[in-house]
Amino acid sequence: MATPTRHSSHRPVRAERRLFHKPGLIHFWVLNDDCTDEVMNKMMHAFAKSDAAAVCLHPRCGLRVPYGGADWFDLIRKTTERCAKLGLQVWLYDEDPYPSGACGGRVFIERPEFEARAIERFEFNPAESKGDNLFYFPTGNLLWCGLVNTKTGETTDWTERVGTVRRNWKILDKWDSRFYYPATPLYSHPRSWAETPEYAVSFGPVPKPAAASPTLPPDTKLVAFVARPCGRGAIYGGLPDSLNPEATKYFIQLTHQKYKEVLGDMLGKEVPAIFTDEPKWYAHKPWTMGMFEDFERQFGYDLRPRLELLFNNSSDDQAVLTRLQYRQWCTERFEKSWLKPIADWCNRNNLVLTGHISPEDDPVEQSGYTGNLHYYWRHFGLAGIDLIIPAVGDHNHTLINVGIVSAVSAASQHKLSGVMSESLGASGLHPDMKQSGKVLLWQTMMGLTSPVIHYCQNSIEGLREYDAPPDFGPFSPHWPAMVKIHREVAAIQPYVRDATQVAPVALLWNVRSWWMQDVDWQTEPTGMRSDFNALLAGCLDRQVGTQIIDEIVLWDAEVSRGEIVIGYSRYSHLVVPSCSILHEKTIAKLRAAQRAGVEVFFAGRTLPTIQQTESAIKPLDLGWLPQHDIDAAVHLLPRLINLEGDLTDIRCTAWVKGGKTTYLLMNLRESPWRGRLKGKPITLAAGKVVVR
């Protein structure tokens, strides 16, 4: 059986980083109307006058220039040429409107086989039986049907016995001979038929009496698994299959190649980047054509009889390994089928791939819908995230620290040119512009180099105003405040642009613990997520220079002389958070780091007791690893700066550039903070960044 793909085998070769846009804000320029010359000229002149770092041409609901047609690409070319004359950098956006991969729905509308599908589970319930001997379930791509022993897990395959039935009868009103012979006397001919096919399987004789409920053998359940289209309620009426490389190829043909044809050698110059927005596999348990065959080639067994194991939390070794390998397959398949072809096309055409794959902040939801972002960021020029709510990572929002710290960590580990965040979307019709500025300043001092503002609309006519407000654009009352925020952010950015973060502490990313479970991300019961958030927040509240490192990234790191080195990152301390499982390669690296003088210890409540090997689940004894509760662990870590006082929501990051170290401090509270720095009184105003 195969082990997770070695990280180094897919790492792009990168030159020294260089950020490709000037300081300031980048704006989503929402094209959601007729895009007349008058409107377009007013918008681009306002952006240029504000000295915007760039604009991203973003088609969105309400667009009246048919997306993907010749008129659309002509509009993009003319707009880019006009922006270039004003010194305004243009980024492309690869979808209408999102998530990426559909080309406004055309990918699967024109090619239905490219529509995303999810594995759905159906179980026979004798209490709901109609008194016959049939188990009915919805149609789709039939994957497996059969009996599962609830004690032993043994299965009996009934897939070949499944057929279709139609039991929904309908009378066809006013049916007569006109439907056969026009221009003749009418002859009454009543009709009825049964419609809406369902799958069904028979499991024995009809019970006697007929009204009695049928029975199954003891300790047995009858289940069926069907792949059915997901996203029928989405904006396109469906979603693209990002696990199908042919769907990606068709998407590139309809979008990227067309942009290349109309923009030519402007790519990589006036147009340096393209933004991809929220591609993923869209279902908690996705399926694609050829999945089972490819899975068996990689792991050596047929997944179909084990599908039941994906829908429970059995701690049986086979069940745990199956769930881990299924998540691994999905993660690697998304990379091969969608992300890498897109990234390779961008590299060949001198475009920086930016954008984001959500969810970024929550490891539980991330494990189910994207696998592991730390596995993907190395393909981007900018490590990207999305911050939707107008909040900062304070004690009320510890979860949203995860996204920015993860992206900054990935940019450092993979030597990317910077960090992008799509920010301020869904802030409401009446945003607090002071809070908007606070959010952007907080993200910047944490390491954000490329803030993309969501959004600036051509029009707010009709329901456009409620698309995803607010409108921060030149036609809005918020524009003067946004220009002021632009200047404040641009003044801080030089300290983090093309600089190296001082972060000697790494927290191990514990996403594998959710790969092995079937967990509802909204009500995650294990406590591991809250432990991770508390650990990260505790580090930040004590001004500890902190990054996050994934297991597969750790495998590739060098260990010597008391440090773990990967990319630009150097860690003297490695903290293992609450988790359920670790990979055997991770265990080996932790022990090697410990022997080399790195401080390695556990912090949390859930100590892993099992490990994953190349082909099995084995017991794990971590008696050699020092163990602490979260608060004690945080107090063992080195601090960037020695502040005294109540340090909750007081942040500090440190950056090295040109041999000089700069400290950025920020008070995330609503009122001034007073404490002591090196024994001397210090006051930090609320919501502002102090440079030291």
Side-chain angles (χ1 to χ4, degrees), residues 144-216:
W144 191 86
C145 178
L147 300 175
V148 177
N149 187 290
T150 57
K151 289 188 174 180
T152 67
E154 294 181 359
T155 61
T156 303
D157 189 347
W158 283 8
T159 310
E160 290 297 322
R161 296 174 58 181
V162 175
T164 58
V165 297
R166 288 168 289 116
R167 54 179 174 153
N168 296 314
W169 283 92
K170 176 181 180 180
I171 295 176
L172 305 179
D173 293 332
K174 298 181 180 179
W175 190 279
D176 54 45
S177 60
R178 287 174 299 177
F179 293 95
Y180 305 109
Y181 304 104
T184 63
L186 299 183
Y187 293 85
S188 177
H189 182 50
R191 293 288 307 276
S192 69
W193 62 23
E195 58 186 6
T196 314
E198 297 173 274
Y199 283 136
V201 63
S202 172
F203 50 85
V206 176
K208 303 294 184 180
S213 297
T215 60
L216 294 171

Side-chain angles (χ1 to χ4, degrees), residues 28 70 89 106 134 150 196 208 212 255 301 400 441-442 463 495 519 549 645:
F28 268 171
Q89 189 181 97
R106 287 182 62 184
L134 295 177
T150 57
T196 314
K208 303 294 184 180
T255 54
Y301 63 90
I400 65 175
L441 286 172
W442 165 69
L463 292 180
Y495 299 108
V519 180
I549 188 168

Side-chain angles (χ1 to χ4, degrees), residues 399-515:
L399 180 69
I400 65 175
N401 287 309
V402 176
I404 185 65
V405 174
S406 291
V408 172
S409 305
S412 179
Q413 292 158 4
H414 303 310
K415 296 186 177 182
L416 309 183
S417 59
V419 177
M420 187 284 307
S421 176
E422 176 188 336
S423 299
L424 302 181
S427 294
L429 287 172
H430 307 290
D432 180 339
M433 294 307 293
K434 181 179 178 181
Q435 179 69 8
S436 298
K438 180 179 178 180
V439 169
L440 293 170
L441 286 172
W442 165 69
Q443 288 188 299
T444 301
M445 65 86 56
M446 292 295 290
L448 175 66
T449 63
S450 309
V452 177
I453 305 303
H454 185 295
Y455 49 35
C456 299
Q457 295 171 277
N458 267 7
S459 171
I460 58 170
E461 181 182 13
L463 292 180
R464 291 175 177 86
E465 183 176 8
Y466 299 90
D467 178 358
D471 172 23
F472 287 110
F475 297 160
S476 80
H478 313 304
W479 183 245
M482 188 55 67
V483 173
K484 181 176 181 290
I485 293 170
H486 164 88
R487 298 192 186 104
E488 293 176 342
V489 170
I492 302 300
Q493 283 177 330
Y495 299 108
V496 300
R497 288 167 58 99
D498 304 323
T500 298
Q501 185 184 18
V502 179
V505 174
L507 309 184
L508 191 67
W509 184 233
N510 57 0
V511 74
R512 188 181 301 274
S513 294
W514 286 285
W515 277 17

Side-chain angles (χ1 to χ4, degrees), residues 40-79:
M40 299 296 284
N41 285 333
K42 285 182 179 179
M43 291 286 283
M44 71 180 68
H45 277 85
F47 289 130
K49 185 178 179 181
S50 75
D51 200 30
V55 292
C56 184
L57 304 181
H58 182 6
R60 208 162 171 101
C61 299
L63 176 66
R64 293 177 59 82
V65 180
Y67 176 75
D71 290 344
W72 166 257
F73 290 108
D74 184 56
L75 172 66
I76 294 297
R77 180 185 57 78
K78 290 193 299 184
T79 302

Side-chain angles (χ1 to χ4, degrees), residues 277-555:
D277 206 352
E278 301 189 10
K280 55 174 75 73
W281 54 66
Y282 308 114
H284 194 262
K285 297 175 182 69
W287 174 86
T288 190
M289 293 292 294
M291 167 183 277
F292 298 131
E293 294 79 6
D294 190 78
F295 187 96
E296 185 166 7
R297 282 192 294 270
Q298 183 170 354
F299 296 110
Y301 63 90
D302 186 355
L303 179 62
R304 281 166 287 200
R306 298 195 191 184
L307 287 173
E308 178 69 9
L309 303 179
L310 304 182
F311 289 81
N312 63 44
N313 278 318
S314 168
S315 59
D316 173 80
D317 287 355
Q318 183 185 81
V320 170
L321 187 64
T322 301
R323 291 192 292 269
L324 286 167
Q325 291 176 334
Y326 174 72
R327 289 295 169 206
Q328 178 188 331
W329 187 91
C330 292
T331 301
E332 294 177 353
R333 179 59 173 247
F334 176 77
E335 179 199 33
K336 296 172 187 174
S337 296
W338 203 91
L339 183 55
K340 194 170 187 300
I342 297 290
D344 288 348
W345 188 94
C346 291
N347 289 332
R348 289 194 302 270
N349 291 280
N350 301 313
L351 280 176
V352 173
L353 177 61
T354 185
H356 69 102
I357 301 172
S358 66
E360 301 88 348
D361 303 284
D362 179 20
V364 186
E365 188 182 10
Q366 187 179 126
S367 70
Y369 293 90
T370 63
N372 185 357
L373 292 191
H374 287 266
Y375 191 78
Y376 303 140
W377 269 317
R378 66 186 185 272
H379 292 289
F380 285 80
L382 301 172
I385 61 172
D386 185 10
L387 179 60
I388 293 176
I389 59 174
V392 297
D394 58 18
H395 67 281
N396 290 319
H397 307 88
T398 57
L399 180 69
I400 65 175
N401 287 309
V402 176
I404 185 65
V405 174
S406 291
V408 172
S409 305
S412 179
Q413 292 158 4
H414 303 310
K415 296 186 177 182
L416 309 183
S417 59
V419 177
M420 187 284 307
S421 176
E422 176 188 336
S423 299
L424 302 181
S427 294
L429 287 172
H430 307 290
D432 180 339
M433 294 307 293
K434 181 179 178 181
Q435 179 69 8
S436 298
K438 180 179 178 180
V439 169
L440 293 170
L441 286 172
W442 165 69
Q443 288 188 299
T444 301
M445 65 86 56
M446 292 295 290
L448 175 66
T449 63
S450 309
V452 177
I453 305 303
H454 185 295
Y455 49 35
C456 299
Q457 295 171 277
N458 267 7
S459 171
I460 58 170
E461 181 182 13
L463 292 180
R464 291 175 177 86
E465 183 176 8
Y466 299 90
D467 178 358
D471 172 23
F472 287 110
F475 297 160
S476 80
H478 313 304
W479 183 245
M482 188 55 67
V483 173
K484 181 176 181 290
I485 293 170
H486 164 88
R487 298 192 186 104
E488 293 176 342
V489 170
I492 302 300
Q493 283 177 330
Y495 299 108
V496 300
R497 288 167 58 99
D498 304 323
T500 298
Q501 185 184 18
V502 179
V505 174
L507 309 184
L508 191 67
W509 184 233
N510 57 0
V511 74
R512 188 181 301 274
S513 294
W514 286 285
W515 277 17
M516 64 174 279
Q517 301 182 63
D518 184 40
V519 180
D520 178 358
W521 62 276
Q522 288 282 13
T523 58
E524 189 275 307
T526 70
M528 292 185 294
R529 175 170 62 191
S530 59
D531 276 6
F532 189 90
N533 294 343
L535 176 60
L536 178 56
C539 291
L540 299 178
D541 278 344
R542 278 187 56 81
Q543 300 77 53
V544 175
T546 309
Q547 292 185 352
I548 295 170
I549 188 168
D550 183 58
E551 288 186 74
I552 205 167
V553 178
L554 178 63
W555 301 347

